[in-house]
mmCIF file of all heavy atoms in Angstrom:
data_model
loop_
_atom_site.group_PDB
_atom_site.id
_atom_site.type_symbol
_atom_site.label_atom_id
_atom_site.label_comp_id
_atom_site.label_asym_id
_atom_site.label_seq_id
_atom_site.Cartn_x
_atom_site.Cartn_y
_atom_site.Cartn_z
ATOM 1 N N HIS A 1 0.850 -1.195 0.013
ATOM 2 C CA HIS A 1 0.011 -0.049 -0.002
ATOM 3 C C HIS A 1 0.899 1.202 -0.067
ATOM 4 O O HIS A 1 0.695 2.162 -0.874
ATOM 5 C CB HIS A 1 -0.921 0.030 1.262
ATOM 6 C CG HIS A 1 -1.856 -1.139 1.429
ATOM 7 N ND1 HIS A 1 -2.392 -1.775 0.313
ATOM 8 C CD2 HIS A 1 -2.376 -1.669 2.494
ATOM 9 C CE1 HIS A 1 -3.223 -2.752 0.717
ATOM 10 N NE2 HIS A 1 -3.282 -2.714 2.049
ATOM 11 N N LEU A 2 1.847 1.294 0.843
ATOM 12 C CA LEU A 2 2.799 2.410 0.980
ATOM 13 C C LEU A 2 3.533 2.770 -0.233
ATOM 14 O O LEU A 2 3.604 3.912 -0.558
ATOM 15 C CB LEU A 2 3.576 2.334 2.276
ATOM 16 C CG LEU A 2 2.927 2.109 3.599
ATOM 17 C CD1 LEU A 2 4.046 2.052 4.754
ATOM 18 C CD2 LEU A 2 1.938 3.181 3.874
ATOM 19 N N GLU A 3 3.919 1.639 -0.869
ATOM 20 C CA GLU A 3 4.779 1.957 -2.136
ATOM 21 C C GLU A 3 3.804 2.530 -3.243
ATOM 22 O O GLU A 3 4.272 3.395 -3.968
ATOM 23 C CB GLU A 3 5.254 0.522 -2.608
ATOM 24 C CG GLU A 3 6.638 0.083 -1.959
ATOM 25 C CD GLU A 3 7.175 -1.050 -2.682
ATOM 26 O OE1 GLU A 3 6.530 -1.806 -3.348
ATOM 27 O OE2 GLU A 3 8.409 -1.204 -2.537
ATOM 28 N N ARG A 4 2.581 2.112 -3.243
ATOM 29 C CA ARG A 4 1.704 2.675 -4.220
ATOM 30 C C ARG A 4 1.371 4.173 -3.930
ATOM 31 O O ARG A 4 1.130 4.953 -4.812
ATOM 32 C CB ARG A 4 0.375 1.911 -4.297
ATOM 33 C CG ARG A 4 -0.662 2.449 -5.399
ATOM 34 C CD ARG A 4 -1.932 1.598 -5.507
ATOM 35 N NE ARG A 4 -2.584 2.089 -6.705
ATOM 36 C CZ ARG A 4 -3.840 1.635 -7.013
ATOM 37 N NH1 ARG A 4 -4.454 0.787 -6.262
ATOM 38 N NH2 ARG A 4 -4.372 2.075 -8.178
ATOM 39 N N TRP A 5 1.503 4.548 -2.661
ATOM 40 C CA TRP A 5 1.263 5.883 -2.186
ATOM 41 C C TRP A 5 2.562 6.695 -2.246
ATOM 42 O O TRP A 5 2.551 7.843 -1.675
ATOM 43 C CB TRP A 5 0.740 5.865 -0.831
ATOM 44 C CG TRP A 5 -0.736 5.235 -0.718
ATOM 45 C CD1 TRP A 5 -1.417 4.789 -1.841
ATOM 46 C CD2 TRP A 5 -1.323 4.681 0.424
ATOM 47 N NE1 TRP A 5 -2.536 4.120 -1.296
ATOM 48 C CE2 TRP A 5 -2.509 4.111 0.052
ATOM 49 C CE3 TRP A 5 -1.070 4.804 1.775
ATOM 50 C CZ2 TRP A 5 -3.455 3.557 0.943
ATOM 51 C CZ3 TRP A 5 -1.951 4.276 2.742
ATOM 52 C CH2 TRP A 5 -3.057 3.624 2.248
ATOM 53 N N LYS A 6 3.637 6.215 -2.951
ATOM 54 C CA LYS A 6 4.803 7.028 -3.090
ATOM 55 C C LYS A 6 5.637 7.154 -1.892
ATOM 56 O O LYS A 6 6.515 7.996 -1.762
ATOM 57 C CB LYS A 6 4.607 8.366 -3.720
ATOM 58 C CG LYS A 6 3.686 8.306 -4.971
ATOM 59 C CD LYS A 6 4.269 7.399 -6.031
ATOM 60 C CE LYS A 6 3.377 7.463 -7.357
ATOM 61 N NZ LYS A 6 3.848 6.535 -8.304
ATOM 62 N N VAL A 7 5.486 6.198 -0.906
ATOM 63 C CA VAL A 7 6.398 6.234 0.359
ATOM 64 C C VAL A 7 7.752 5.685 -0.177
ATOM 65 O O VAL A 7 7.702 4.506 -0.667
ATOM 66 C CB VAL A 7 5.948 5.402 1.506
ATOM 67 C CG1 VAL A 7 6.873 5.443 2.619
ATOM 68 C CG2 VAL A 7 4.473 6.065 1.943
ATOM 69 N N PRO A 8 8.877 6.322 -0.057
ATOM 70 C CA PRO A 8 10.171 5.850 -0.425
ATOM 71 C C PRO A 8 10.417 4.372 0.174
ATOM 72 O O PRO A 8 10.205 4.124 1.390
ATOM 73 C CB PRO A 8 11.151 6.748 0.066
ATOM 74 C CG PRO A 8 10.455 8.055 0.144
ATOM 75 C CD PRO A 8 9.063 7.593 0.566
ATOM 76 N N ALA A 9 10.913 3.478 -0.536
ATOM 77 C CA ALA A 9 11.172 2.055 -0.096
ATOM 78 C C ALA A 9 12.098 1.996 1.160
ATOM 79 O O ALA A 9 11.917 1.161 2.078
ATOM 80 C CB ALA A 9 11.793 1.207 -1.209
ATOM 81 N N ASP A 10 12.957 3.002 1.302
ATOM 82 C CA ASP A 10 13.933 2.988 2.347
ATOM 83 C C ASP A 10 13.243 3.572 3.611
ATOM 84 O O ASP A 10 13.857 3.549 4.760
ATOM 85 C CB ASP A 10 15.184 3.733 2.053
ATOM 86 C CG ASP A 10 15.043 5.229 1.775
ATOM 87 O OD1 ASP A 10 13.812 5.692 1.738
ATOM 88 O OD2 ASP A 10 15.903 5.900 1.490
ATOM 89 N N ARG A 11 12.002 3.941 3.599
ATOM 90 C CA ARG A 11 11.184 4.419 4.636
ATOM 91 C C ARG A 11 10.197 3.322 5.097
ATOM 92 O O ARG A 11 9.349 3.636 5.917
ATOM 93 C CB ARG A 11 10.655 5.760 4.476
ATOM 94 C CG ARG A 11 11.608 6.922 4.543
ATOM 95 C CD ARG A 11 10.961 8.233 4.378
ATOM 96 N NE ARG A 11 10.066 8.541 5.423
ATOM 97 C CZ ARG A 11 9.315 9.654 5.511
ATOM 98 N NH1 ARG A 11 9.271 10.547 4.563
ATOM 99 N NH2 ARG A 11 8.410 9.821 6.583
ATOM 100 N N ILE A 12 10.219 2.139 4.511
ATOM 101 C CA ILE A 12 9.230 1.100 4.813
ATOM 102 C C ILE A 12 9.872 -0.090 5.489
ATOM 103 O O ILE A 12 10.936 -0.635 4.952
ATOM 104 C CB ILE A 12 8.505 0.701 3.652
ATOM 105 C CG1 ILE A 12 7.819 1.808 2.852
ATOM 106 C CG2 ILE A 12 7.464 -0.412 3.951
ATOM 107 C CD1 ILE A 12 7.288 1.487 1.550
ATOM 108 N N ILE A 13 9.466 -0.444 6.684
ATOM 109 C CA ILE A 13 10.005 -1.514 7.483
ATOM 110 C C ILE A 13 8.788 -2.462 7.672
ATOM 111 O O ILE A 13 7.810 -2.112 8.329
ATOM 112 C CB ILE A 13 10.577 -1.279 8.707
ATOM 113 C CG1 ILE A 13 11.816 -0.299 8.467
ATOM 114 C CG2 ILE A 13 11.018 -2.484 9.429
ATOM 115 C CD1 ILE A 13 12.419 0.292 9.791
ATOM 116 N N GLU A 14 8.722 -3.708 6.981
ATOM 117 C CA GLU A 14 7.670 -4.713 7.198
ATOM 118 C C GLU A 14 8.174 -5.807 8.176
ATOM 119 O O GLU A 14 9.218 -6.279 8.064
ATOM 120 C CB GLU A 14 7.343 -5.274 5.849
ATOM 121 C CG GLU A 14 6.533 -4.400 4.985
ATOM 122 C CD GLU A 14 5.949 -5.194 3.755
ATOM 123 O OE1 GLU A 14 6.825 -5.591 3.002
ATOM 124 O OE2 GLU A 14 4.747 -5.288 3.652
ATOM 125 N N LEU A 15 7.107 -6.118 9.048
ATOM 126 C CA LEU A 15 7.581 -7.167 10.068
ATOM 127 C C LEU A 15 6.450 -8.104 10.278
ATOM 128 O O LEU A 15 5.242 -7.928 10.146
ATOM 129 C CB LEU A 15 7.801 -6.482 11.460
ATOM 130 C CG LEU A 15 8.935 -5.396 11.565
ATOM 131 C CD1 LEU A 15 8.870 -4.951 12.997
ATOM 132 C CD2 LEU A 15 10.218 -6.050 11.282
ATOM 133 N N ASP A 16 6.810 -9.388 10.452
ATOM 134 C CA ASP A 16 5.919 -10.525 10.961
ATOM 135 C C ASP A 16 5.887 -10.535 12.369
ATOM 136 O O ASP A 16 6.602 -9.869 13.149
ATOM 137 C CB ASP A 16 6.514 -11.777 10.316
ATOM 138 C CG ASP A 16 5.371 -12.914 10.194
ATOM 139 O OD1 ASP A 16 4.357 -12.702 10.777
ATOM 140 O OD2 ASP A 16 5.653 -13.901 9.611
ATOM 141 N N TRP A 17 4.979 -11.344 12.909
ATOM 142 C CA TRP A 17 4.897 -11.482 14.370
ATOM 143 C C TRP A 17 6.133 -11.938 14.935
ATOM 144 O O TRP A 17 6.842 -12.907 14.383
ATOM 145 C CB TRP A 17 3.713 -12.451 14.794
ATOM 146 C CG TRP A 17 2.306 -11.908 14.489
ATOM 147 C CD1 TRP A 17 2.031 -10.669 14.224
ATOM 148 C CD2 TRP A 17 1.134 -12.690 14.401
ATOM 149 N NE1 TRP A 17 0.617 -10.393 14.012
ATOM 150 C CE2 TRP A 17 0.060 -11.735 14.084
ATOM 151 C CE3 TRP A 17 0.811 -13.963 14.694
ATOM 152 C CZ2 TRP A 17 -1.249 -12.127 13.999
ATOM 153 C CZ3 TRP A 17 -0.532 -14.371 14.649
ATOM 154 C CH2 TRP A 17 -1.469 -13.492 14.300
ATOM 155 N N GLU A 18 6.564 -11.374 16.047
ATOM 156 C CA GLU A 18 7.833 -11.608 16.751
ATOM 157 C C GLU A 18 9.078 -11.095 16.054
ATOM 158 O O GLU A 18 10.156 -11.509 16.457
ATOM 159 C CB GLU A 18 7.900 -13.135 17.208
ATOM 160 C CG GLU A 18 6.842 -13.486 18.135
ATOM 161 C CD GLU A 18 6.752 -12.709 19.441
ATOM 162 O OE1 GLU A 18 7.881 -12.222 19.855
ATOM 163 O OE2 GLU A 18 5.694 -12.362 19.983
ATOM 164 N N GLU A 19 8.954 -10.457 14.949
ATOM 165 C CA GLU A 19 10.064 -9.827 14.294
ATOM 166 C C GLU A 19 10.157 -8.368 14.898
ATOM 167 O O GLU A 19 9.091 -7.787 15.454
ATOM 168 C CB GLU A 19 10.000 -9.761 12.842
ATOM 169 C CG GLU A 19 10.044 -11.074 12.262
ATOM 170 C CD GLU A 19 9.959 -11.056 10.688
ATOM 171 O OE1 GLU A 19 9.538 -10.035 10.159
ATOM 172 O OE2 GLU A 19 10.408 -12.035 9.969
ATOM 173 N N SER A 20 11.287 -7.767 14.952
ATOM 174 C CA SER A 20 11.550 -6.386 15.455
ATOM 175 C C SER A 20 12.430 -5.576 14.628
ATOM 176 O O SER A 20 13.117 -6.051 13.781
ATOM 177 C CB SER A 20 12.029 -6.594 16.944
ATOM 178 O OG SER A 20 13.369 -7.052 16.854
ATOM 179 N N ALA A 21 12.250 -4.365 14.904
ATOM 180 C CA ALA A 21 13.164 -3.213 14.365
ATOM 181 C C ALA A 21 13.594 -2.339 15.409
ATOM 182 O O ALA A 21 12.776 -1.991 16.267
ATOM 183 C CB ALA A 21 12.485 -2.565 13.101
ATOM 184 N N GLU A 22 14.756 -1.846 15.300
ATOM 185 C CA GLU A 22 15.315 -0.853 16.311
ATOM 186 C C GLU A 22 15.422 0.495 15.656
ATOM 187 O O GLU A 22 16.037 0.687 14.590
ATOM 188 C CB GLU A 22 16.670 -1.178 16.900
ATOM 189 C CG GLU A 22 17.068 -0.335 18.012
ATOM 190 C CD GLU A 22 18.302 -0.782 18.849
ATOM 191 O OE1 GLU A 22 18.382 -2.027 18.916
ATOM 192 O OE2 GLU A 22 19.112 -0.012 19.282
ATOM 193 N N VAL A 23 14.762 1.530 16.356
ATOM 194 C CA VAL A 23 14.679 2.895 15.816
ATOM 195 C C VAL A 23 14.972 3.772 16.985
ATOM 196 O O VAL A 23 14.283 3.778 17.929
ATOM 197 C CB VAL A 23 13.265 3.210 15.247
ATOM 198 C CG1 VAL A 23 13.246 4.602 14.669
ATOM 199 C CG2 VAL A 23 12.985 2.269 13.971
ATOM 200 N N ALA A 24 15.970 4.675 16.830
ATOM 201 C CA ALA A 24 16.235 5.597 17.809
ATOM 202 C C ALA A 24 16.465 5.105 19.238
ATOM 203 O O ALA A 24 16.043 5.557 20.234
ATOM 204 C CB ALA A 24 15.165 6.799 17.863
ATOM 205 N N GLY A 25 17.129 3.862 19.273
ATOM 206 C CA GLY A 25 17.326 3.270 20.619
ATOM 207 C C GLY A 25 16.094 2.524 21.137
ATOM 208 O O GLY A 25 16.232 1.982 22.246
ATOM 209 N N VAL A 26 14.989 2.473 20.471
ATOM 210 C CA VAL A 26 13.752 1.749 20.976
ATOM 211 C C VAL A 26 13.482 0.589 20.009
ATOM 212 O O VAL A 26 13.589 0.689 18.872
ATOM 213 C CB VAL A 26 12.565 2.693 21.025
ATOM 214 C CG1 VAL A 26 11.365 2.008 21.253
ATOM 215 C CG2 VAL A 26 12.894 3.837 22.000
ATOM 216 N N ARG A 27 13.254 -0.546 20.620
ATOM 217 C CA ARG A 27 12.856 -1.710 19.854
ATOM 218 C C ARG A 27 11.327 -1.799 19.650
ATOM 219 O O ARG A 27 10.534 -1.885 20.610
ATOM 220 C CB ARG A 27 13.505 -3.042 20.476
ATOM 221 C CG ARG A 27 13.215 -4.262 19.614
ATOM 222 C CD ARG A 27 14.288 -5.302 19.937
ATOM 223 N NE ARG A 27 15.635 -4.972 19.684
ATOM 224 C CZ ARG A 27 16.123 -5.073 18.453
ATOM 225 N NH1 ARG A 27 15.416 -5.513 17.446
ATOM 226 N NH2 ARG A 27 17.462 -4.594 18.269
ATOM 227 N N LEU A 28 10.963 -1.998 18.399
ATOM 228 C CA LEU A 28 9.537 -2.176 18.124
ATOM 229 C C LEU A 28 9.284 -3.604 17.606
ATOM 230 O O LEU A 28 9.968 -4.096 16.648
ATOM 231 C CB LEU A 28 9.230 -1.152 16.913
ATOM 232 C CG LEU A 28 9.397 0.274 17.163
ATOM 233 C CD1 LEU A 28 9.314 1.056 15.893
ATOM 234 C CD2 LEU A 28 8.447 0.820 18.122
ATOM 235 N N ILE A 29 8.550 -4.303 18.406
ATOM 236 C CA ILE A 29 8.296 -5.695 18.304
ATOM 237 C C ILE A 29 6.861 -5.895 17.804
ATOM 238 O O ILE A 29 5.908 -5.503 18.507
ATOM 239 C CB ILE A 29 8.567 -6.558 19.515
ATOM 240 C CG1 ILE A 29 9.898 -6.145 20.051
ATOM 241 C CG2 ILE A 29 8.473 -7.976 19.239
ATOM 242 C CD1 ILE A 29 10.257 -6.613 21.353
ATOM 243 N N ALA A 30 6.617 -6.619 16.624
ATOM 244 C CA ALA A 30 5.310 -6.952 16.095
ATOM 245 C C ALA A 30 4.930 -8.170 16.821
ATOM 246 O O ALA A 30 5.607 -9.178 16.868
ATOM 247 C CB ALA A 30 5.260 -7.134 14.613
ATOM 248 N N THR A 31 3.723 -8.108 17.540
ATOM 249 C CA THR A 31 3.196 -9.207 18.267
ATOM 250 C C THR A 31 1.829 -9.544 17.763
ATOM 251 O O THR A 31 1.215 -8.878 16.984
ATOM 252 C CB THR A 31 3.254 -8.914 19.712
ATOM 253 O OG1 THR A 31 2.717 -7.627 19.993
ATOM 254 C CG2 THR A 31 4.554 -9.015 20.421
ATOM 255 N N ALA A 32 1.297 -10.745 18.233
ATOM 256 C CA ALA A 32 0.000 -11.260 17.806
ATOM 257 C C ALA A 32 -1.131 -10.337 18.130
ATOM 258 O O ALA A 32 -1.149 -9.752 19.144
ATOM 259 C CB ALA A 32 -0.116 -12.666 18.270
ATOM 260 N N ALA A 33 -2.189 -10.503 17.289
ATOM 261 C CA ALA A 33 -3.457 -9.895 17.613
ATOM 262 C C ALA A 33 -4.515 -10.848 16.846
ATOM 263 O O ALA A 33 -4.196 -11.730 16.091
ATOM 264 C CB ALA A 33 -3.652 -8.537 17.057
ATOM 265 N N GLN A 34 -5.767 -10.705 17.269
ATOM 266 C CA GLN A 34 -6.927 -11.530 16.712
ATOM 267 C C GLN A 34 -7.845 -10.540 15.877
ATOM 268 O O GLN A 34 -8.685 -9.899 16.498
ATOM 269 C CB GLN A 34 -7.564 -12.251 17.805
ATOM 270 C CG GLN A 34 -8.696 -13.190 17.270
ATOM 271 C CD GLN A 34 -9.172 -14.042 18.332
ATOM 272 O OE1 GLN A 34 -8.649 -15.036 18.783
ATOM 273 N NE2 GLN A 34 -10.346 -13.724 18.775
ATOM 274 N N HIS A 35 -7.558 -10.584 14.591
ATOM 275 C CA HIS A 35 -8.430 -9.555 13.848
ATOM 276 C C HIS A 35 -8.454 -9.892 12.452
ATOM 277 O O HIS A 35 -8.421 -11.179 12.142
ATOM 278 C CB HIS A 35 -7.763 -8.140 13.974
ATOM 279 C CG HIS A 35 -8.652 -7.098 13.778
ATOM 280 N ND1 HIS A 35 -9.899 -6.804 14.289
ATOM 281 C CD2 HIS A 35 -8.498 -5.945 12.744
ATOM 282 C CE1 HIS A 35 -10.430 -5.733 13.912
ATOM 283 N NE2 HIS A 35 -9.614 -5.130 12.918
ATOM 284 N N PHE A 36 -8.550 -9.069 11.566
ATOM 285 C CA PHE A 36 -8.532 -9.295 10.017
ATOM 286 C C PHE A 36 -8.125 -8.067 9.401
ATOM 287 O O PHE A 36 -7.838 -7.062 10.019
ATOM 288 C CB PHE A 36 -9.931 -9.851 9.598
ATOM 289 C CG PHE A 36 -11.033 -8.754 9.618
ATOM 290 C CD1 PHE A 36 -11.491 -8.109 8.433
ATOM 291 C CD2 PHE A 36 -11.585 -8.273 10.832
ATOM 292 C CE1 PHE A 36 -12.487 -7.248 8.484
ATOM 293 C CE2 PHE A 36 -12.506 -7.335 10.834
ATOM 294 C CZ PHE A 36 -13.008 -6.811 9.676
ATOM 295 N N SER A 37 -7.973 -8.122 8.035
ATOM 296 C CA SER A 37 -7.522 -7.012 7.241
ATOM 297 C C SER A 37 -8.230 -6.833 5.962
ATOM 298 O O SER A 37 -8.968 -7.766 5.490
ATOM 299 C CB SER A 37 -5.988 -7.072 6.976
ATOM 300 O OG SER A 37 -5.696 -8.188 6.230
#
């Protein structure tokens, strides 16, 4: 979606559950939810 909306690729971080990314010294961890999309 973001690519179609012209968000630069180097500004997109995609994560699966229990994957993480560190930004500005803070770790962002994607965790489970029960929903739909």
Side-chain angles (χ1 to χ4, degrees):
H1 299 328
L2 300 184
E3 280 191 335
R4 186 175 188 188
W5 300 346
K6 309 302 182 185
V7 178
D10 61 1
R11 288 184 61 181
I12 302 172
I13 301 172
E14 282 188 299
L15 299 177
D16 201 349
W17 290 348
E18 295 303 325
E19 292 183 342
S20 66
E22 186 167 330
V23 179
V26 171
R27 185 156 294 278
L28 302 167
I29 307 168
T31 44
Q34 183 173 282
H35 200 54
F36 69 107
S37 66

